[in-house]
Amino acid sequence: MNIRVLGNNLEAWTLAAVLASTGCRVVIAAKQLPDEHSELAELDLLRLLQKQLAQGRLQLIDLADTVFNPADSCELLIDARTNLSAEQRFQALQMFSDAVQAESAIYALVQPVAVGTTDQLQCMLLDACKGRETKAQIDCLYWPSFIEAGRALESFTRSGRLLIGASRLCQNPKTEGDIPEGVAAIRELMAPFNRSKDAAMVMSAREAELTKIGINGMLATRISFMNELADIASRQGVDIEAVRQGIGADPRIGHQYLYPGCGFGGEAFTDTLGFLGEELEATESAQGLASGLLSSVWQINEQQKDLLFQKFWRYFNAEIKGRTVALWGCAFKPNTASIAGSPALVLIQALLSHGVQVQVYDPMAMESLKLWLNSAQIRLNSEQKPDDGQVVFCDSPEQAAEQADAIMLVTEWKLFWNLNLTEIATRMKTPLLLDGRNIYPPKRAQQAGFVYSAIGRGQTI
Amino acid sequence: MDSMNKPLLTEQPVFKLLQEKASAVPHLKDLFAADSDRAQQMLVQGPGMLLDYSKQRVNDDVLSALEQLFCQLKLPEAIRDLFSGEVVNKSENRPALHSQLRVPADKQPQAYQDVENQLQRMSRLVDKVHSGVWRGFSGKRITDVVNLGVGGSDLGPLMLTQALKEYAAPEAKNLRVHFASTIDGSQLFDLLDHLNPETTLFLIASKSFTTIDTLSNADTVRAWLSRVCPDEALMLRCHFVGISTAVEKMNQWGIVAENQLEFWPWVGGRFSLWSAVGCSIALDLGMVTFRELLAGAHAMDEHFRTAPALENIPAMMALLGVWNVNILDIRAHAILPYDGRLKYFPSYLEQLEMESNGKSVTQDGQAIDYATCPVLWGEIGANAQHAFYQLLHQGTQPVAADFILAARRYDRSLDQAHGEALTAQHELNIANCLAQSRVLALGNAAVEPADNPFRHYPGNQPSSTLLLEQLDAYTLGALIACYEHKVFTQAMIWGINPFDQWGVELGKQVALQLQPLLKQSDNDGKAGLDSSTRLLAERIADLRGQNGRSGK
């Protein structure tokens, strides 16, 4: 199959690499492959991309996302772009429709989108085609990718499920079982990863869209719930870690996504909560829903992101100006260079605004952080302009902790788990360890000489 | 000595002239019948608004006599003195330069650079709170602000934040701003019940920083906070901002230097919302809106300073007020905004007008023999129709009125589902406003005459209508400045000082004397009191279980 992928993000590159590796010819608009310093750098993915490029099945073109070459005779357009309105997406869809050579083709959305987006695009396409001689019938589908940052290839090829939502307005002749042709084509395309047991679920596009954001919303809810529980635990002097294991042992609940922490980030989660919020706001009786469950989930998460700063503030009785903080990790989760929605961003802004120096170490995400610091996204109090020296990028966690008044552990990189804490503690000005991911046993940290406070465990600060 | 005093209003030759002309002014219905162009000639345009005074009981003769009065009493000179910083507040020996607070930064003379400096300080504070940089003692962001102030430190900001809610900046929308003023602590009692001490910031606004109402509220708050934050220095640093002219008093109370916003003795309390006293406004609505407010007021300052009397909205309102009070003997004035957003505007004006001009001696201390400020009160017009309009239409008191109306409303809600319905309500509101002023003026003549005595409407109640283009920060700033200048103009005509308030001092002193007496269980200390006060004090002590008895 000839495929064109839109977007320059983890989902777009993963889909492009994997589908090319199954023998498809894939075109993606980019000047070059992501390099190992980019946010998308996952080594196995980069290797696969390089291989597909070398073999010619993956082709990079230096064109805009809305430009299509009829000679590519593309049959499937995968739209992996984020944060676009239906109108913006439609520009590409319409150009695609004009360029299609075959009798039928597919347009597939793979990112979380507002409910109704797929139908809306199909409808816009039908309207645009009215009274015009069109060569191709295009099915608009919603095909969520379930790609997780940090383990992109694996999460896509071994997701164990295949969700396909078809717009109710699909025009192509239905195959048996009233399933649109486009859906059948995606099932065939994914057959290499869907062998042992057919995991395909076919539903309407709206159902699939709501399923996707529902999944993310549920996971977010579990985390925020655990954070609220951790808050109670810290006030009651209870170790949340024991509680977490106990809760997870209940088979109706399970262990996944029960980790309390200093806040989740990532585009998937934040976009999803955004879409859900919009859905709720668009409901007729919107008043009162602002105080509903999801807005609480969101608010709790925002508070969590600030929690380590609050502990720092309390520990030093608000006398924090001129102090130094070591920030361990700034990626929103391990194995990614992405800092989207990371608690580190909230902490850095708060710390810089109060005249605190920040010494950062992250194995992958420091380039992303540099870009962010230089961009306009960072908003500080007008009195406190970030000067060059206020954020120092370090080569190791030990270097970051040197002469610091506190360590804030934000990302649970494996690298941080078995460090020599005793030695690190002696090299700090104040041995205060604020663990946002609960990775150290409190006793071990205390024996190493630290005042240790985590999320619902360790010393209450 | 007497010869040095300025002549009283009633001694002015033109005052006699005005009195003579009064009897020649016919009923309003006849004035309108006689001249179909009356309204066109009685319209004044000002910044963001126009004044229609055609429903006032005046004719061309009266107007030219009022203009003479304006000139004979040297109002142009008085206005010049006001703006140039002359000592217009003689009893307190200082200028009244609230208009200086509204001069745009690039036109502010060097001598008043501190005005812009304080605005910038305030702006930084507001920004810190909005952006979440300001933290409570436990490190949490501020979610609530309570303004502790009374009179000028309360009424203006309260009125404005109510009126302009829809213009709140996005960054201000998550912050809740509350007001507590009453000396009995009632408002605080309600607020402290649901506020979180960790995330609440208190503004203590008092020109002298000795106002007992405000400081007793502040002390209660301090006790409330110290329960959860025993570290007093931390509590003071994170939860209290002081706004005052008295830096030393703020220091004594414990306001840290970084949390002090200053204004100056030459800003009267009831003219102070333009200074740092407006901090609660900026926190609630954003600094941009606050600056627009200043810009609107400045535009009105320029209008007042430069327009000739008969084309000058504040001057005309003042002259017509004097005509009504001193010539037509109308001693009541109703403020009737046809706009729910202006709910607190009448109470704001009650202070501005009655505290300023409720005086009976001249600037030189000479007793006067004529009426000054009328009793002024009001309510949202459409609601007042169901309350006191009966008295306006058929009672025995002559009452003058100001109708206030915004022409445009709900422009930004048109695409909402209920936008049309709201627009229809606005049209109904306009119709009511115009109908009421019409009936007050014309009486029976507004409709078909009837024989039923209960349906007799005498009419001839004078009113003005202030028509705003729309109600926003700019026009509301201009509207407030307009009334300030009206008050000043009237004070100059009456020969009184609008900037002092000696009348409110005595009650405060007596209350301070009484308070310890009320605490004493024996009655010896109360012996010198009048029998009414003594009896009430005893009964209160009985009911509260003092005087050695147990209360039930």
Side-chain angles (χ1 to χ4, degrees), chain A residues 77-384:
Chain A
L77 175 63
I78 296 176
D79 189 346
R81 297 171 298 172
T82 53
N83 279 325
L84 292 181
S85 65
E87 286 71 23
Q88 289 166 316
R89 292 188 190 281
F90 183 67
Q91 290 174 8
L93 176 53
Q94 190 168 26
M95 301 300 283
F96 172 61
S97 153
D98 291 343
V100 165
Q101 300 291 309
E103 272 179 17
S104 66
I106 303 166
Y107 170 80
L109 285 159
V110 296
Q111 298 281 10
V113 291
V115 174
T117 305
T118 314
D119 278 356
Q120 194 187 348
L121 286 165
Q122 185 84 66
C123 193
M124 289 163 89
L125 187 63
L126 292 176
D127 282 350
C129 293
K130 235 171 240 166
R132 283 175 58 194
E133 191 76 19
T134 45
K135 285 166 284 192
Q137 297 290 353
I138 297 180
D139 279 351
C140 292
L141 302 180
Y142 186 65
W143 172 32
S145 67
F146 305 115
I147 291 169
E148 296 168 29
R151 51 186 289 270
L153 281 187
E154 194 192 356
S155 60
F156 180 60
T157 58
R158 295 184 192 189
S159 95
R161 73 211 131 130
L162 175 59
L163 208 65
I164 309 169
S167 167
R168 61 192 157 84
L169 304 162
C170 280
Q171 292 277 294
N172 281 333
K174 303 286 196 292
T175 55
E176 42 180 309
D178 213 21
I179 289 170
E181 204 176 280
V183 174
I186 296 292
R187 288 177 82 146
E188 269 176 45
L189 184 68
M190 290 298 286
F193 311 110
N194 189 29
R195 292 188 69 192
S196 56
K197 149 172 153 307
D198 183 8
M201 284 173 282
V202 178
M203 52 180 79
S204 76
R206 282 164 187 269
E207 287 161 348
E209 288 158 352
L210 188 55
T211 304
K212 173 68 182 168
I213 54 184
I215 289 169
N216 289 348
M218 173 66 93
L219 297 178
T221 304
R222 283 173 71 113
I223 296 173
S224 281
F225 173 75
M226 283 309 291
N227 281 329
E228 194 161 81
L229 224 51
D231 185 40
I232 297 171
S234 75
R235 279 186 277 126
Q236 296 289 341
V238 166
D239 186 350
I240 193 69
E241 179 58 16
V243 178
R244 181 188 69 79
Q245 297 208 14
I247 293 176
D250 188 317
R252 293 167 301 181
I253 297 174
H255 280 102
Q256 295 212 328
Y257 285 84
L258 283 189
Y259 289 97
C262 61
F264 56 78
E267 267 189 354
F269 270 140
T270 46
D271 282 2
T272 295
L273 289 179
F275 288 133
L276 279 171
E278 281 167 30
E279 285 304 323
L280 291 173
E281 264 174 36
T283 322
E284 273 294 326
S285 55
Q287 270 79 11
L289 278 170
S291 54
L293 176 62
L294 279 161
S295 88
S296 299
V297 166
W298 177 258
Q299 279 169 20
I300 290 172
N301 194 50
E302 289 305 300
Q303 284 164 25
Q304 291 304 114
K305 291 181 182 176
D306 197 47
L307 197 60
L308 299 188
F309 176 79
Q310 292 174 17
K311 284 172 185 278
F312 179 65
W313 173 281
R314 288 195 287 267
Y315 185 82
F316 288 107
N317 220 14
E319 300 295 334
I320 59 171
K321 194 172 181 181
R323 294 191 188 275
T324 302
V325 162
L327 201 65
W328 282 6
C330 59
F332 81 87
K333 66 178 188 180
N335 304 317
T336 176
S338 169
I339 56 166
S342 167
L345 310 186
V346 173
L347 294 172
I348 290 173
Q349 285 186 78
L351 291 167
L352 297 188
S353 299
H354 286 274
V356 177
Q357 173 161 314
V358 182
Q359 301 180 161
V360 193
Y361 174 74
D362 187 289
M364 275 176 89
M366 290 205 290
E367 289 301 318
S368 316
L369 188 66
K370 281 179 196 163
L371 280 177
W372 177 79
L373 279 170
N374 289 328
S375 74
Q377 282 165 286
I378 180 161
R379 189 181 176 284
L380 297 175
N381 189 263
S382 37
E383 270 175 318
Q384 308 275 358

Side-chain angles (χ1 to χ4, degrees), chain A residues 26-37:
Chain A
V26 181
V27 175
I28 187 163
K31 286 198 170 76
Q32 60 200 32
L33 293 182
D35 66 44
E36 50 195 300
H37 299 296

